Amino acid sequence: MKIYNKYIAAIALSLVLTGCRAPMATVIKDEVKENLPQNFNQEEQQDANANSGTTPWRQFFTDPNLVSLIETSLKNNQELLITLQEIEIAKSGVLAKKGKLTPTVSAGIGAGLKKAGRYTSEGAGDAATEIEPGREMPDPLGNFEGGLMANWEIDIWKKLRTEKEAAVAHYLSTVEGKNFVLSNLIEEVADNYYELLALDNQLDIIQQYIKLQQRALEISKIQKEAAAATELAVKKFEAELAKSKAAEYTIRQDITEKENQINALLGRYPQPIVRTKESFMSTMPQTVYTGIPSQLLANRPDIKQAELELKAAKLDVQAARKEFYPSLEISATLGLEAFKPSYLVKLPESIAYNLAGELAGPLINKSAIKANFQTADAKQIQSLYEYDKTILHAYLDVANLMSRVKNIDQYYQMKSQETKALDQSIDIANQLFRNSRADYLEVLLNQRDALDAKMELIEAKQKQLSTVVDIYKSLGGGWK
């Protein structure tokens, strides 16, 4: 018996030693995170206590119509609803991994019939056996059984716990993924809303321009009758009027498409978008505070998602490495068994049980395990690159948008000055044209320049507001 135990110990030791020769995972270093700059603008110091990314979106947006649209999108947007189901899937994955840590217990019943050959050891033994004095073993022999069965893999290397931790990290990453979808959705709704208001104001401008062209056309006809102008001037004004009307229909189509684009984000069929266009040009952009770059790691959900996926990938490598180690499984059964149903109630004779433990580990042909480990190791490196890329892009987004905020403000001021000057030049040109002191080309050019300037001024206002929304999202705002 002692010799037998020595053999068992030797086999177990060999399995452990074999498993310990598992390959090592690649050691990765996160240089992008470690070298993150202290400020977005190296010439300016940012206040760490002032960060607009932490402002809840209901406080950041003050337009009640826009707030209502965002609330509807958060309830009905299909992409967001799909993401919520991904969270449920990941949650189920956690439960599945957690379930492997506890024994599996099942209940079952069974019935069978067996006949052994007479000239076999089993058949000869049954023929010579009496169940009771004077009563032979039935032939063929039935078998009726019922009871409980349990299987349990002992987590001696914490492999199962590691797999569960990886599943938890993946689940948390899907939650951050949902937050990133929220942030993007709010940004899209706000940007499209401001673009729609810009189109409304451009439509008003083109309609005013059409009225101006109609008056200019009437004047040119009167001057032609008075021999102060030619038919060429009349035709030029007619052509400009037709061009302006065509532009009006183009803007109307753009408005329809923009409304439907917003409705799509809101998960509903086409319907009018409630909005107030009159105050668009007087709307002042929010003041945005950027904080410091390191706050992006805690505020931006896409960075936190990439970080959690990196954590999950590292845990997957650990779990794959532990596949090289021996596993210990225990199985047990307890129930009743007899060749005749009426005998099942005869206790304790009908009681049957079984208890077994198995320690097994890979010795030869480990290619599948090695392949799984190498795949997990490569995914770990891939996740690091993805994490670094997300951090880098987040920093560059904020840096670019900060520059855009300053430049678009200056651009808007210059366009405002240009628009005022051209409005004055239109009045002067029209007065001179009425007095035959300027030709129609000067009037047309002034009107076109003024129209273009006003259109560009409206676009500049829309870019002002949208840039503030974009930088708010880039700082990690919008999902709280």
Side-chain angles (χ1 to χ4, degrees), residues 323-399:
E323 290 289 348
F324 290 90
Y325 300 165
S327 60
L328 175 61
E329 293 188 5
I330 296 176
S331 60
T333 58
L334 175 63
L336 303 176
E337 186 176 17
F339 63 81
K340 190 176 181 181
S342 60
Y343 286 176
L344 289 173
V345 296
K346 289 187 176 184
L347 303 176
E349 291 83 358
S350 61
I351 294 177
Y353 60 85
N354 179 49
L355 179 63
E358 181 181 24
L359 182 66
L363 291 177
I364 302 174
N365 192 8
K366 304 179 186 178
S367 58
I369 300 176
K370 289 180 180 178
N372 289 336
F373 173 79
Q374 292 170 357
T375 299
D377 193 41
K379 287 183 177 180
Q380 172 194 216
I381 300 173
Q382 187 181 52
S383 297
L384 174 65
Y385 293 151
E386 188 67 32
Y387 180 52
D388 288 345
K389 183 184 74 173
T390 306
I391 294 176
L392 182 61
H393 286 185
Y395 178 88
L396 294 176
D397 281 347
V398 176

Coordinates of all heavy atoms in Angstrom, one line a residue, residues 323-399:
E323 N -3.9 27.2 -17.9 CA -4.4 26.0 -18.5 C -3.3 24.9 -18.6 O -3.5 23.7 -18.8 CB -4.9 26.3 -19.9 CG -6.2 27.1 -20.0 CD -7.4 26.2 -19.6 OE1 -7.2 25.0 -19.5 OE2 -8.4 26.8 -19.3
F324 N -2.0 25.4 -18.5 CA -0.9 24.4 -18.5 C -0.8 23.7 -17.2 O -0.1 22.7 -17.1 CB 0.4 25.2 -18.8 CG 0.5 25.7 -20.2 CD1 0.1 27.0 -20.5 CD2 1.1 24.9 -21.2 CE1 0.2 27.5 -21.8 CE2 1.2 25.4 -22.5 CZ 0.8 26.7 -22.8
Y325 N -1.4 24.1 -16.1 CA -1.3 23.5 -14.8 C -2.3 22.4 -14.7 O -3.4 22.3 -15.4 CB -1.6 24.5 -13.7 CG -0.7 25.7 -13.7 CD1 -1.1 26.8 -12.9 CD2 0.5 25.7 -14.4 CE1 -0.2 27.9 -12.9 CE2 1.3 26.8 -14.3 CZ 1.0 27.9 -13.6 OH 1.8 29.0 -13.5
P326 N -2.1 21.4 -13.8 CA -3.0 20.3 -13.6 C -4.3 20.8 -13.0 O -4.4 21.8 -12.3 CB -2.3 19.4 -12.6 CG -0.9 19.8 -12.7 CD -0.8 21.2 -13.0
S327 N -5.4 20.1 -13.3 CA -6.7 20.5 -12.8 C -7.2 19.3 -11.9 O -6.9 18.1 -12.2 CB -7.7 20.7 -13.9 OG -7.9 19.6 -14.7
L328 N -7.9 19.7 -10.8 CA -8.4 18.7 -9.9 C -9.9 18.8 -9.9 O -10.5 19.8 -9.7 CB -7.9 19.0 -8.5 CG -8.5 18.1 -7.4 CD1 -8.1 16.7 -7.6 CD2 -8.0 18.6 -6.0
E329 N -10.5 17.6 -10.3 CA -12.0 17.5 -10.4 C -12.5 16.4 -9.4 O -11.9 15.3 -9.3 CB -12.4 17.2 -11.8 CG -12.2 18.3 -12.8 CD -12.8 18.1 -14.1 OE1 -13.5 17.1 -14.3 OE2 -12.6 18.9 -15.0
I330 N -13.6 16.7 -8.8 CA -14.2 15.7 -7.9 C -15.6 15.5 -8.4 O -16.4 16.4 -8.7 CB -14.3 16.3 -6.4 CG1 -12.9 16.5 -5.9 CG2 -15.1 15.4 -5.5 CD1 -12.8 17.1 -4.5
S331 N -16.0 14.2 -8.5 CA -17.3 13.8 -8.9 C -17.9 12.9 -7.9 O -17.2 12.1 -7.2 CB -17.3 13.1 -10.3 OG -16.5 12.0 -10.2
A332 N -19.2 13.0 -7.7 CA -19.9 12.1 -6.7 C -21.3 11.9 -7.1 O -21.9 12.7 -7.8 CB -19.9 12.8 -5.3
T333 N -21.8 10.7 -6.7 CA -23.2 10.3 -7.0 C -23.8 9.7 -5.7 O -23.1 9.0 -5.0 CB -23.4 9.3 -8.2 OG1 -22.6 8.2 -7.9 CG2 -22.9 10.0 -9.5
L334 N -25.1 9.9 -5.5 CA -25.8 9.3 -4.4 C -27.2 9.1 -4.8 O -27.9 10.0 -5.2 CB -25.7 10.2 -3.1 CG -26.5 9.8 -1.9 CD1 -26.0 8.5 -1.4 CD2 -26.5 10.9 -0.8
G335 N -27.7 7.8 -4.6 CA -29.0 7.5 -5.0 C -29.4 6.1 -4.7 O -28.8 5.4 -3.9
L336 N -30.5 5.6 -5.4 CA -31.0 4.3 -5.2 C -30.9 3.5 -6.5 O -31.1 4.1 -7.6 CB -32.5 4.4 -4.8 CG -32.8 5.2 -3.5 CD1 -34.3 5.2 -3.3 CD2 -32.1 4.5 -2.3
E337 N -30.6 2.3 -6.4 CA -30.4 1.5 -7.6 C -30.8 0.0 -7.3 O -30.4 -0.5 -6.3 CB -28.9 1.5 -8.1 CG -28.6 0.8 -9.4 CD -27.2 0.9 -9.8 OE1 -26.3 1.3 -9.0 OE2 -26.9 0.7 -11.0
A338 N -31.5 -0.6 -8.3 CA -32.0 -2.0 -8.1 C -32.4 -2.5 -9.5 O -32.7 -1.7 -10.4 CB -33.2 -2.1 -7.1
F339 N -32.5 -3.8 -9.6 CA -32.9 -4.4 -10.9 C -34.4 -4.5 -11.0 O -34.9 -4.8 -12.1 CB -32.3 -5.8 -11.1 CG -32.7 -6.8 -10.1 CD1 -33.9 -7.5 -10.3 CD2 -31.9 -7.1 -9.0 CE1 -34.3 -8.4 -9.3 CE2 -32.3 -8.1 -8.1 CZ -33.5 -8.7 -8.3
K340 N -35.1 -4.1 -10.0 CA -36.6 -4.2 -10.0 C -37.1 -3.0 -9.2 O -36.6 -2.7 -8.1 CB -37.1 -5.5 -9.3 CG -38.5 -5.7 -9.5 CD -38.9 -7.1 -8.9 CE -40.4 -7.4 -9.2 NZ -40.7 -8.7 -8.6
P341 N -38.1 -2.2 -9.7 CA -38.6 -1.0 -9.1 C -39.0 -1.2 -7.6 O -38.8 -0.4 -6.8 CB -39.7 -0.6 -10.0 CG -39.4 -1.1 -11.3 CD -38.8 -2.4 -11.1
S342 N -39.6 -2.4 -7.3 CA -40.1 -2.6 -6.0 C -38.9 -2.7 -5.0 O -39.1 -2.5 -3.8 CB -40.9 -3.9 -5.9 OG -40.2 -5.0 -6.3
Y343 N -37.7 -3.1 -5.5 CA -36.6 -3.2 -4.6 C -35.9 -1.8 -4.2 O -35.1 -1.8 -3.4 CB -35.5 -4.1 -5.2 CG -35.9 -5.6 -5.2 CD1 -35.1 -6.5 -5.8 CD2 -37.1 -6.0 -4.5 CE1 -35.4 -7.9 -5.8 CE2 -37.4 -7.4 -4.5 CZ -36.6 -8.3 -5.1 OH -36.9 -9.6 -5.1
L344 N -36.3 -0.8 -4.9 CA -35.7 0.5 -4.7 C -36.0 1.0 -3.3 O -35.2 1.8 -2.7 CB -36.2 1.6 -5.7 CG -35.7 1.4 -7.1 CD1 -36.5 2.4 -8.1 CD2 -34.2 1.6 -7.2
V345 N -37.1 0.6 -2.7 CA -37.5 1.1 -1.4 C -36.9 0.2 -0.3 O -37.1 0.5 0.9 CB -39.0 1.1 -1.2 CG1 -39.6 2.1 -2.2 CG2 -39.6 -0.3 -1.5
K346 N -36.2 -0.8 -0.6 CA -35.5 -1.7 0.4 C -34.2 -1.0 0.8 O -33.2 -1.1 0.0 CB -35.3 -3.1 -0.2 CG -36.6 -3.9 -0.3 CD -36.4 -5.3 -0.7 CE -37.7 -6.1 -0.7 NZ -37.4 -7.5 -1.0
L347 N -34.2 -0.4 1.9 CA -33.0 0.3 2.4 C -32.4 -0.5 3.5 O -33.1 -1.1 4.3 CB -33.4 1.7 2.9 CG -34.1 2.6 1.8 CD1 -34.5 3.9 2.4 CD2 -33.2 2.8 0.6
P348 N -31.1 -0.5 3.7 CA -30.1 0.3 2.9 C -29.6 -0.4 1.7 O -28.6 0.0 1.1 CB -29.0 0.6 3.9 CG -29.0 -0.7 4.8 CD -30.5 -1.1 4.8
E349 N -30.1 -1.6 1.4 CA -29.6 -2.4 0.3 C -29.6 -1.7 -1.0 O -28.7 -1.9 -1.9 CB -30.3 -3.8 0.2 CG -30.2 -4.7 1.3 CD -31.1 -4.4 2.5 OE1 -31.8 -3.4 2.4 OE2 -31.0 -5.1 3.5
S350 N -30.6 -0.9 -1.3 CA -30.7 -0.2 -2.6 C -29.8 1.1 -2.7 O -29.8 1.7 -3.8 CB -32.1 0.1 -3.0 OG -32.7 0.9 -2.0
I351 N -29.3 1.5 -1.6 CA -28.5 2.7 -1.6 C -27.2 2.5 -2.4 O -26.5 1.5 -2.2 CB -28.1 3.2 -0.2 CG1 -29.4 3.6 0.5 CG2 -27.2 4.4 -0.3 CD1 -29.2 4.0 1.9
A352 N -26.9 3.4 -3.3 CA -25.6 3.4 -4.1 C -25.0 4.8 -4.1 O -25.7 5.8 -4.2 CB -25.9 3.0 -5.5
Y353 N -23.7 4.8 -4.0 CA -23.0 6.0 -4.1 C -21.6 5.8 -4.7 O -21.1 4.7 -4.8 CB -22.8 6.7 -2.7 CG -22.1 5.8 -1.7 CD1 -20.7 5.9 -1.6 CD2 -22.8 5.0 -0.8 CE1 -20.0 5.1 -0.6 CE2 -22.1 4.2 0.1 CZ -20.8 4.3 0.2 OH -20.1 3.5 1.1
N354 N -21.0 7.0 -5.1 CA -19.7 6.9 -5.8 C -19.0 8.3 -5.5 O -19.6 9.3 -5.6 CB -19.9 6.7 -7.3 CG -18.5 6.7 -8.0 OD1 -17.6 6.0 -7.6 ND2 -18.4 7.5 -9.0
L355 N -17.8 8.2 -5.2 CA -17.0 9.4 -4.9 C -15.6 9.2 -5.6 O -14.9 8.2 -5.4 CB -16.8 9.7 -3.4 CG -15.9 10.9 -3.1 CD1 -16.6 12.2 -3.5 CD2 -15.7 11.0 -1.5
A356 N -15.2 10.2 -6.4 CA -13.9 10.0 -7.2 C -13.3 11.4 -7.3 O -14.0 12.4 -7.5 CB -14.2 9.4 -8.5
G357 N -12.0 11.4 -7.3 CA -11.2 12.6 -7.5 C -10.2 12.4 -8.6 O -9.7 11.3 -8.7
E358 N -10.0 13.4 -9.5 CA -9.1 13.2 -10.6 C -8.2 14.4 -10.7 O -8.6 15.6 -10.8 CB -9.9 13.0 -11.9 CG -9.0 12.8 -13.1 CD -9.9 12.7 -14.4 OE1 -11.0 13.2 -14.4 OE2 -9.4 12.1 -15.3
L359 N -6.9 14.2 -10.7 CA -5.9 15.2 -11.0 C -5.2 14.9 -12.3 O -4.6 13.9 -12.5 CB -4.8 15.2 -9.8 CG -3.7 16.3 -9.9 CD1 -4.3 17.6 -9.7 CD2 -2.7 16.0 -8.9
A360 N -5.4 15.8 -13.2 CA -4.9 15.6 -14.6 C -4.3 16.9 -15.1 O -4.8 18.0 -14.9 CB -6.1 15.1 -15.5
G361 N -3.3 16.7 -15.9 CA -2.6 17.9 -16.5 C -2.1 17.5 -17.9 O -1.8 16.3 -18.2
P362 N -1.9 18.5 -18.8 CA -1.4 18.2 -20.1 C 0.1 17.8 -20.1 O 0.9 18.4 -19.4 CB -1.6 19.5 -20.9 CG -1.5 20.5 -19.8 CD -2.1 19.9 -18.6
L363 N 0.4 16.7 -20.8 CA 1.8 16.2 -20.9 C 2.4 16.3 -22.3 O 3.4 16.8 -22.6 CB 1.9 14.8 -20.4 CG 1.7 14.6 -18.9 CD1 1.8 13.1 -18.5 CD2 2.7 15.4 -18.1
I364 N 1.6 15.8 -23.3 CA 2.0 15.7 -24.7 C 1.0 16.4 -25.5 O -0.2 16.4 -25.2 CB 2.2 14.2 -25.1 CG1 3.2 13.5 -24.2 CG2 2.6 14.1 -26.5 CD1 3.3 12.0 -24.4
N365 N 1.4 17.0 -26.6 CA 0.6 17.7 -27.6 C -0.2 18.8 -26.9 O -1.4 18.7 -26.8 CB -0.4 16.7 -28.3 CG -1.1 17.3 -29.5 OD1 -0.7 18.4 -29.9 ND2 -2.0 16.6 -30.0
K366 N 0.5 19.9 -26.6 CA -0.1 21.0 -26.0 C -0.3 22.1 -27.0 O -0.5 23.3 -26.6 CB 0.8 21.6 -24.9 CG 1.2 20.6 -23.8 CD 2.2 21.3 -22.8 CE 2.7 20.3 -21.8 NZ 3.7 21.0 -20.9
S367 N -0.4 21.8 -28.3 CA -0.5 22.8 -29.3 C -1.7 23.7 -29.1 O -1.7 24.9 -29.3 CB -0.5 22.2 -30.7 OG -1.5 21.3 -30.8
A368 N -2.8 23.1 -28.8 CA -4.1 23.9 -28.6 C -4.0 24.8 -27.5 O -4.4 26.0 -27.6 CB -5.3 22.9 -28.5
I369 N -3.4 24.4 -26.4 CA -3.3 25.2 -25.2 C -2.3 26.4 -25.5 O -2.5 27.5 -25.1 CB -2.8 24.4 -24.0 CG1 -3.8 23.3 -23.6 CG2 -2.6 25.3 -22.8 CD1 -3.4 22.4 -22.5
K370 N -1.2 26.0 -26.2 CA -0.2 27.0 -26.6 C -0.8 28.1 -27.5 O -0.6 29.3 -27.4 CB 1.0 26.4 -27.2 CG 1.9 25.6 -26.3 CD 3.0 24.9 -27.0 CE 3.9 24.1 -26.1 NZ 5.0 23.5 -26.8
A371 N -1.6 27.6 -28.4 CA -2.3 28.5 -29.4 C -3.2 29.5 -28.6 O -3.2 30.7 -28.9 CB -3.0 27.7 -30.4
N372 N -4.0 29.0 -27.7 CA -4.9 29.8 -26.9 C -4.1 30.9 -26.1 O -4.5 32.0 -26.0 CB -5.7 29.0 -26.0 CG -6.8 28.2 -26.7 OD1 -7.2 28.5 -27.8 ND2 -7.2 27.1 -26.1
F373 N -3.0 30.4 -25.5 CA -2.2 31.3 -24.8 C -1.6 32.4 -25.7 O -1.6 33.6 -25.3 CB -1.0 30.6 -24.1 CG 0.0 31.5 -23.4 CD1 -0.3 32.0 -22.1 CD2 1.2 31.8 -24.0 CE1 0.6 32.9 -21.5 CE2 2.1 32.6 -23.3 CZ 1.8 33.2 -22.1
Q374 N -1.0 32.0 -26.8 CA -0.4 33.0 -27.7 C -1.5 34.0 -28.2 O -1.2 35.2 -28.4 CB 0.2 32.3 -28.9 CG 1.5 31.5 -28.5 CD 2.0 30.6 -29.6 OE1 1.4 30.5 -30.7 NE2 3.1 29.9 -29.3
T375 N -2.7 33.5 -28.5 CA -3.8 34.4 -28.9 C -4.1 35.4 -27.8 O -4.3 36.6 -28.1 CB -5.0 33.6 -29.3 OG1 -4.7 32.7 -30.3 CG2 -6.2 34.5 -29.7
A376 N -4.2 34.9 -26.6 CA -4.5 35.8 -25.5 C -3.4 36.8 -25.3 O -3.7 38.0 -25.0 CB -4.8 35.0 -24.2
D377 N -2.2 36.4 -25.4 CA -1.0 37.3 -25.3 C -1.0 38.4 -26.3 O -0.8 39.5 -26.1 CB 0.3 36.5 -25.3 CG 1.5 37.3 -24.8 OD1 1.3 38.0 -23.8 OD2 2.5 37.2 -25.4
A378 N -1.4 38.0 -27.6 CA -1.4 39.0 -28.7 C -2.6 39.9 -28.5 O -2.4 41.1 -28.7 CB -1.6 38.2 -30.0
K379 N -3.7 39.5 -28.0 CA -4.8 40.3 -27.7 C -4.5 41.3 -26.6 O -5.0 42.5 -26.6 CB -6.1 39.5 -27.4 CG -6.7 38.8 -28.5 CD -8.0 38.1 -28.2 CE -8.6 37.4 -29.4 NZ -9.9 36.7 -29.0
Q380 N -3.7 40.9 -25.6 CA -3.3 41.8 -24.5 C -2.5 42.9 -25.1 O -2.7 44.1 -24.8 CB -2.4 41.0 -23.5 CG -1.8 41.9 -22.5 CD -0.7 41.1 -21.7 OE1 -0.5 41.3 -20.5 NE2 0.1 40.3 -22.4
I381 N -1.5 42.6 -26.0 CA -0.7 43.7 -26.6 C -1.6 44.6 -27.5 O -1.5 45.8 -27.5 CB 0.4 43.1 -27.5 CG1 1.3 42.2 -26.6 CG2 1.2 44.1 -28.2 CD1 2.4 41.4 -27.3
Q382 N -2.5 44.0 -28.2 CA -3.4 44.7 -29.1 C -4.3 45.7 -28.2 O -4.5 46.8 -28.6 CB -4.3 43.8 -29.8 CG -5.2 44.4 -30.9 CD -6.1 43.4 -31.5 OE1 -6.8 42.6 -30.9 NE2 -6.1 43.4 -32.9
S383 N -4.8 45.2 -27.1 CA -5.6 46.1 -26.2 C -4.8 47.2 -25.6 O -5.3 48.3 -25.4 CB -6.1 45.2 -25.0 OG -7.0 44.2 -25.5
L384 N -3.5 47.0 -25.4 CA -2.6 48.1 -24.9 C -2.5 49.2 -26.0 O -2.6 50.4 -25.7 CB -1.2 47.6 -24.6 CG -0.2 48.7 -24.2 CD1 -0.6 49.4 -23.0 CD2 1.2 48.1 -24.1
Y385 N -2.3 48.8 -27.2 CA -2.2 49.7 -28.3 C -3.5 50.5 -28.5 O -3.5 51.7 -28.8 CB -1.8 49.0 -29.7 CG -0.5 48.4 -29.7 CD1 -0.2 47.3 -30.4 CD2 0.6 49.0 -28.9 CE1 1.1 46.7 -30.4 CE2 1.8 48.4 -28.9 CZ 2.1 47.3 -29.7 OH 3.4 46.8 -29.7
E386 N -4.6 49.8 -28.3 CA -6.0 50.4 -28.4 C -6.1 51.4 -27.3 O -6.7 52.5 -27.6 CB -7.1 49.4 -28.4 CG -8.4 49.9 -28.7 CD -8.6 50.3 -30.1 OE1 -8.0 49.7 -31.0 OE2 -9.4 51.3 -30.3
Y387 N -5.7 51.1 -26.2 CA -5.8 52.0 -25.0 C -4.9 53.3 -25.2 O -5.4 54.4 -25.0 CB -5.3 51.3 -23.7 CG -5.4 52.1 -22.5 CD1 -6.5 52.8 -22.1 CD2 -4.2 52.1 -21.7 CE1 -6.5 53.5 -20.9 CE2 -4.2 52.9 -20.5 CZ -5.4 53.5 -20.1 OH -5.4 54.3 -18.9
D388 N -3.7 53.0 -25.7 CA -2.8 54.2 -26.0 C -3.4 55.1 -27.1 O -3.3 56.3 -27.0 CB -1.4 53.7 -26.4 CG -0.6 53.1 -25.3 OD1 -1.1 53.3 -24.1 OD2 0.3 52.3 -25.5
K389 N -3.9 54.4 -28.1 CA -4.5 55.2 -29.2 C -5.7 56.1 -28.7 O -5.8 57.2 -29.1 CB -5.0 54.2 -30.3 CG -5.6 55.0 -31.6 CD -6.1 54.0 -32.6 CE -7.4 53.4 -32.1 NZ -8.0 52.6 -33.2
T390 N -6.5 55.5 -27.8 CA -7.7 56.2 -27.3 C -7.2 57.4 -26.5 O -7.8 58.5 -26.6 CB -8.5 55.3 -26.4 OG1 -8.9 54.1 -27.2 CG2 -9.8 56.0 -26.0
I391 N -6.2 57.2 -25.7 CA -5.7 58.4 -24.9 C -5.1 59.5 -25.8 O -5.4 60.6 -25.6 CB -4.6 57.9 -23.9 CG1 -5.2 56.9 -22.8 CG2 -3.9 59.1 -23.2 CD1 -4.1 56.3 -21.9
L392 N -4.3 59.0 -26.8 CA -3.7 60.0 -27.7 C -4.7 60.8 -28.4 O -4.7 62.0 -28.5 CB -2.7 59.3 -28.6 CG -2.0 60.2 -29.6 CD1 -1.1 61.1 -28.9 CD2 -1.1 59.3 -30.5
H393 N -5.7 60.1 -29.0 CA -6.8 60.8 -29.7 C -7.6 61.7 -28.9 O -8.0 62.8 -29.3 CB -7.7 59.8 -30.4 CG -7.0 59.1 -31.6 ND1 -7.7 58.2 -32.4 CD2 -5.8 59.2 -32.1 CE1 -6.9 57.8 -33.4 NE2 -5.7 58.4 -33.2
A394 N -7.8 61.3 -27.6 CA -8.6 62.1 -26.7 C -7.8 63.4 -26.4 O -8.4 64.5 -26.4 CB -8.9 61.4 -25.4
Y395 N -6.6 63.3 -26.2 CA -5.7 64.5 -25.9 C -5.7 65.5 -27.1 O -5.9 66.7 -27.0 CB -4.3 64.1 -25.5 CG -3.4 65.3 -25.3 CD1 -3.3 65.9 -24.0 CD2 -2.6 65.9 -26.3 CE1 -2.5 67.0 -23.8 CE2 -1.8 66.9 -26.1 CZ -1.7 67.5 -24.9 OH -0.9 68.6 -24.7
L396 N -5.5 64.9 -28.3 CA -5.5 65.7 -29.5 C -6.8 66.3 -29.8 O -6.9 67.5 -30.3 CB -5.0 64.8 -30.7 CG -3.6 64.3 -30.6 CD1 -3.3 63.4 -31.8 CD2 -2.6 65.5 -30.6
D397 N -7.9 65.6 -29.6 CA -9.3 66.2 -29.8 C -9.4 67.4 -29.0 O -9.9 68.5 -29.5 CB -10.3 65.2 -29.3 CG -10.6 64.1 -30.4 OD1 -10.1 64.3 -31.5 OD2 -11.2 63.1 -30.0
V398 N -9.1 67.4 -27.7 CA -9.2 68.6 -26.8 C -8.3 69.7 -27.3 O -8.7 70.8 -27.3 CB -9.0 68.2 -25.3 CG1 -9.1 69.4 -24.5 CG2 -10.0 67.2 -24.9
A399 N -7.1 69.4 -27.6 CA -6.1 70.4 -28.0 C -6.6 71.1 -29.3 O -6.5 72.3 -29.4 CB -4.7 69.8 -28.2

